[in-house]
Amino acid sequence: MIKTLTTLILLAILVFSCENREEKSNDQDDSNSTTLVEKPDTFFHYSIWHAFVNKVFDADLKVSTLKANGDIGLGSFDFLDGEMVMLDGIPYRIREDGEISVGSDDDEIVYANAAFFDEDGSFPISEPIDYDTFRAAINTHLPSLNLFYAFKVHGVFKTLKLGGLNKQIKPFVDGLDVLIPNRPVFEGENITGTMIGFFCPEFIGDINAAGYHFHFIADDLKMGGHVMGFECQEPLEVKYDEMNNYHFYLPDNEDYRNVSLDKNFQYGKK
């Protein structure tokens, strides 16, 4: 009986020891992860808007790190070599000529917003709308304009106007205040696809683009970019994810360390 009891105790100690080693090993694996944000319901933001405006176009955020911090997102690739829209974990690159490809894990992004989309609510917009009335309608449905939101909006767009960016080469001369008004523009009719977007309250200041910011990718992957305008006569279903956690990750390079944040530029804040 004593031998049997001793054997059971030794087995229990062995199992406990193995479990501890396994937990420690898992903790060590987590410490080497590229995930920068532990909470999935978090607005992830790389670089700050004011830096992006002031010609910080050389980046150090890998696509692999972006995907570790969200499954939807928008932004721009390194040297402005393409607008970025991430849908279902796939980061699409829309270059200045309209060509669409998928960014590789080693590609770099100069500016990004991302989140793991976890739907908190949805509402239909059934009346014919354009981009301005669309944003105004969202305002009336959100629980509060003092929080952060991510959006997925799928639909058929009667007309669609999207913007791209022209690739830049060092030394960078123009900031976004010059580049955006002169950006390449893509227009189409009867396009089916998804708008991915984010909302930041006014108090965000120069950290991010205040108000609404949307990028689009067509279902057939033939059109994408920054949403400049649209008309829609068919119903749209707006899905949103409410977030009260915000994390921004600053570039770790000389361009950012030495930039003069003197210029101001904001998209429309409707």
Side-chain angles (χ1 to χ4, degrees):
M1 181 67 180
I2 293 175
K3 288 184 178 180
T4 301
L5 181 60
T6 302
T7 301
L8 289 173
I9 292 173
L10 289 173
L11 284 172
I13 292 172
L14 180 61
V15 170
F16 180 77
S17 175
C18 289
E19 287 178 348
N20 277 351
R21 284 199 297 270
E22 184 177 354
E23 288 175 3
K24 184 177 181 181
S25 176
N26 288 338
D27 289 343
Q28 289 174 342
D29 290 343
D30 289 344
S31 68
N32 293 326
S33 171
T34 56
T35 303
L36 301 172
V37 180
E38 295 298 327
K39 296 180 179 179
D41 194 23
T42 297
F43 191 125
F44 174 77
H45 177 194
Y46 172 69
S47 190
I48 59 173
W49 180 250
H50 216 36
F52 194 37
V53 168
N54 284 276
K55 300 182 290 187
V56 181
F57 300 147
D58 194 0
D60 52 19
L61 180 75
K62 298 285 188 182
V63 164
S64 58
T65 302
L66 179 72
K67 292 193 296 185
N69 288 278
D71 54 16
I72 67 166
L74 56 78
S76 298
F77 282 87
D78 201 18
F79 285 66
L80 306 190
D81 188 17
E83 290 278 63
M84 187 275 292
V85 53
M86 182 163 63
L87 176 62
D88 299 329
I90 302 175
Y92 297 101
R93 182 201 297 259
I94 302 97
R95 285 197 162 94
E96 58 188 318
D97 61 357
E99 176 193 6
I100 297 177
S101 60
V102 176
S104 68
D105 282 352
D106 288 334
D107 285 344
E108 292 181 321
I109 291 173
V110 69
Y111 183 87
N113 292 168
F116 287 106
F117 192 81
D118 182 15
E119 183 180 333
D120 287 321
S122 65
F123 53 87
I125 299 179
S126 55
E127 66 273 13
I129 56 169
D130 59 19
Y131 194 23
D132 287 338
T133 55
F134 168 74
R135 289 176 288 187
I138 295 179
N139 283 343
T140 66
H141 286 88
L142 293 180
S144 171
L145 296 180
N146 297 327
L147 298 171
F148 298 92
Y149 296 90
F151 299 93
K152 275 186 179 181
V153 184
H154 187 268
V156 180
F157 298 83
K158 180 182 178 183
T159 64
L160 190 61
K161 183 178 181 180
L162 306 175
L165 286 171
N166 290 307
K167 182 179 179 181
Q168 302 299 296
I169 300 174
K170 281 190 170 183
F172 305 127
V173 176
D174 297 321
L176 290 191
D177 59 325
V178 174
L179 297 176
I180 285 182
N182 296 286
R183 70 193 317 169
V185 175
F186 315 118
E187 296 187 78
E189 296 182 354
N190 300 316
I191 308 295
T192 302
T194 303
M195 290 196 298
I196 292 297
F198 294 88
F199 173 83
C200 290
E202 292 292 325
F203 61 70
I204 199 67
D206 291 322
I207 293 175
N208 207 338
Y212 295 98
H213 187 178
F214 282 91
H215 282 197
F216 176 88
I217 187 72
D219 286 355
D220 60 8
L221 303 183
K222 293 182 178 180
M223 189 175 180
H226 170 83
V227 178
M228 300 175 67
F230 67 79
E231 294 177 338
C232 190
Q233 293 183 334
E234 298 188 27
L236 292 175
E237 183 72 12
V238 180
K239 299 178 180 179
Y240 68 86
D241 180 9
E242 178 183 295
M243 297 170 287
N244 60 4
N245 297 305
Y246 191 95
H247 177 87
F248 65 91
Y249 175 49
L250 296 176
D252 185 16
N253 57 43
E254 291 304 310
D255 285 358
Y256 176 76
R257 292 174 185 273
N258 298 322
V259 67
S260 175
L261 303 175
D262 55 343
K263 286 188 178 181
N264 292 297
F265 178 83
Q266 279 277 2
Y267 286 121
K269 301 181 182 181
K270 296 179 181 178

